[in-house]
Amino acid sequence: GSYSLEYWQARIPSPNLTWETTTLGNIALDFAVLNNRLSLEFEAYRAMTTDLLLTVKTPQHTGYDTKYQNIGRTTTQGLELTLNSRNIVKRNFTWTTSFTISHASSIVNDLGAESEVSSKNSPTGGYMTIGYRVGYPVNAFWGFQYAGVWHNQEEIERNKITHSYANDQNTTKLGYPIFIDQNHDGTLDSRDIVFLGSPDPVISGGLQNTFRIKGFTLGVFFSYSVGGKVLNYSEFYMAGSRRTNQYAYMVNAWHPEKNPNSNLPRAGVFDGNALPSSFLIHDASYVRLKTVSLGYRFNIKSKILRELELSCSGENLCLWSNYNGFDPDVSSGGYNGYDNSYYPKPMRVVFSLQLKY
């Protein structure tokens, strides 16, 4: 077998307010056995970023609500492992496989004098929905812990003593959504905001299989992601709103006669309580048939034309996921895992002709 090991470090200075200062470290290992029939590539990295350019609140007497400021420090680290194998190597038939698995995480280490910095607020109440807090992932999801709805008057009367639940408008109407009152003070406010998850997956990667049979080449690539969360922002308006289309699950919404035990808000009330909460957070795990390609190479004995290759490939052919939106692998408005009625990745079929002279 054979292997190699390398380590490097670099520092990038920050010349002005729009740049960041980053310290990078990288360790890589390559290993091959069985006459290179099986090879492994491993990489570990760590990056520390300072002078983040963030939007922070300013005193009201300045005349501005926020300003840009270079504050804070974050750390990003990850691992990546790639396994390559030449499963079958014959004169007229070969089969190779490449499998990749990776893990990455980013943590907020410091925010200067700020306790938190919001990247995006909710349309109601202005609560932090995506933002930074020390000790938590970068651009994490924040909100209230959804607890269902008011089912009956007994629950409402009991809560006047326990203060277990609350909502934004202190509404005690049956069928209205309620949230965990974290400090049991009878009021729902920013002190009841909790960490709801990160858009970063626990592991992600892909599986590529390539087959060559005489002049034919067939490639099949699957991508996958496990863990991580997606914030379905469209549920602010499509989970019971009277003004938009609704998700199919709303047929099971709370109703005093038809469905009195449901924990889904009654039709027409959720859009009035458009609060960031665990109700909008979903598992972002998926497996996708990313690419399938088939080609044939003609060997042409000509002084002018040496080779002709015809191929056909399809992209985004199939997706397996439990997400209630179109696609959990989304990035809207510059936020990973944020789905604001994101248009799904299109399925494409491409035909190509390649000539070699």
Side-chain angles (χ1 to χ4, degrees):
S2 63
Y3 69 91
S4 64
L5 177 68
E6 65 179 56
Y7 170 81
W8 60 271
Q9 184 176 15
R11 182 172 178 83
I12 305 173
S14 174
N16 53 53
L17 289 178
T18 61
W19 287 62
E20 301 174 352
T21 302
T22 307
T23 302
L24 303 172
N26 177 285
I27 296 177
L29 172 68
D30 296 332
F31 183 79
V33 295
L34 302 177
N35 196 25
N36 290 325
R37 291 288 294 270
L38 184 65
S39 63
L40 180 145
E41 301 172 8
F42 172 78
E43 182 177 1
Y45 60 88
R46 179 183 176 87
M48 181 177 293
T49 304
T50 61
D51 294 332
L52 296 169
L53 186 61
L54 301 176
T55 302
V56 298
K57 295 181 180 180
T58 58
Q60 293 184 350
H61 68 264
T62 63
Y64 298 92
D65 295 328
T66 61
K67 68 176 180 178
Y68 287 111
Q69 187 174 344
N70 284 100
I71 60 171
R73 184 178 75 253
T74 63
T75 299
T76 301
Q77 56 190 9
L79 306 171
E80 184 168 326
L81 178 69
T82 301
L83 181 65
N84 301 302
S85 65
R86 300 163 62 199
N87 307 309
I88 299 177
V89 181
K90 301 292 185 179
R91 180 179 179 182
N92 292 322
F93 176 63
T94 62
W95 170 27
T96 60
T97 299
S98 179
F99 176 71
T100 302
I101 181 171
S102 63
H103 166 76
S105 62
S106 298
I107 299 296
V108 179
N109 305 118
D110 180 58
L111 287 175
E114 304 294 324
S115 60
E116 64 182 35
V117 175
S118 176
S119 299
K120 186 169 185 60
N121 292 330
S122 63
T124 300
Y127 298 110
M128 182 171 71
T129 304
I130 304 175
Y132 299 75
R133 277 189 186 177
V134 174
Y136 290 91
V138 174
N139 280 325
F141 298 132
W142 300 90
F144 301 103
Q145 189 175 350
Y146 183 73
V149 302
W150 295 122
H151 295 99
N152 50 62
Q153 192 61 36
E154 292 181 4
E155 288 185 354
I156 296 175
E157 295 301 322
R158 188 184 312 116
N159 190 68
K160 292 180 180 179
I161 301 174
T162 63
H163 296 299
S164 299
Y165 312 110
N167 56 30
D168 186 54
Q169 302 170 354
N170 290 323
T171 301
T172 56
K173 296 180 180 179
L174 299 185
Y176 273 64
I178 55 177
F179 308 91
I180 298 295
D181 187 355
Q182 302 291 339
N183 56 5
H184 305 287
D185 65 351
T187 303
L188 196 72
D189 53 32
S190 58
R191 290 171 293 184
D192 299 308
I193 293 288
V194 296
F195 171 66
L196 298 179
S198 167
D200 298 329
V202 177
I203 59 171
S204 61
L207 175 65
Q208 172 75 43
N209 279 285
T210 304
F211 305 88
R212 290 184 174 86
I213 307 173
K214 293 186 177 181
F216 287 97
T217 301
L218 172 64
V220 181
F221 177 65
F222 289 89
S223 62
Y224 69 90
S225 179
V226 179
K229 301 297 182 180
V230 57
L231 169 63
N232 191 350
Y233 193 81
S234 63
E235 286 189 276
F236 272 140
Y237 310 104
M238 295 177 64
S241 172
R242 294 167 291 182
R243 300 188 297 270
T244 66
N245 292 332
Q246 297 181 17
Y247 281 103
Y249 65 71
M250 283 306 296
V251 298
N252 297 317
W254 185 91
H255 189 275
E257 297 178 358
K258 298 179 181 180
N259 206 2
N261 296 319
S262 173
N263 276 316
L264 295 174
R266 67 188 300 170
V269 304
F270 197 83
D271 61 329
N273 290 265
L275 301 176
S277 75
S278 55
F279 185 89
L280 313 175
I281 302 295
H282 304 273
D283 181 21
S285 301
Y286 69 88
V287 175
R288 186 194 308 276
L289 179 55
K290 182 66 175 178
T291 308
V292 175
S293 61
L294 177 64
Y296 184 77
R297 180 176 298 174
F298 298 88
N299 289 320
I300 300 177
K301 297 180 180 180
S302 171
K303 295 181 178 180
I304 300 177
L305 185 63
R306 293 188 297 110
E307 197 175 274
L308 169 65
E309 183 175 355
L310 299 175
S311 64
C312 174
S313 65
E315 298 180 3
N316 303 315
L317 300 177
C318 192
L319 175 68
W320 294 271
S321 172
N322 291 324
Y323 178 49
N324 65 349
F326 291 119
D327 191 338
D329 183 19
V330 4
S331 178
S332 299
Y335 304 106
N336 289 333
Y338 169 63
D339 189 356
N340 188 12
S341 301
Y342 174 80
Y343 193 80
K345 292 179 174 61
M347 180 187 297
R348 298 195 305 172
V349 178
V350 178
F351 295 89
S352 65
L353 170 64
Q354 183 175 358
L355 303 174
K356 290 185 179 181
Y357 299 95

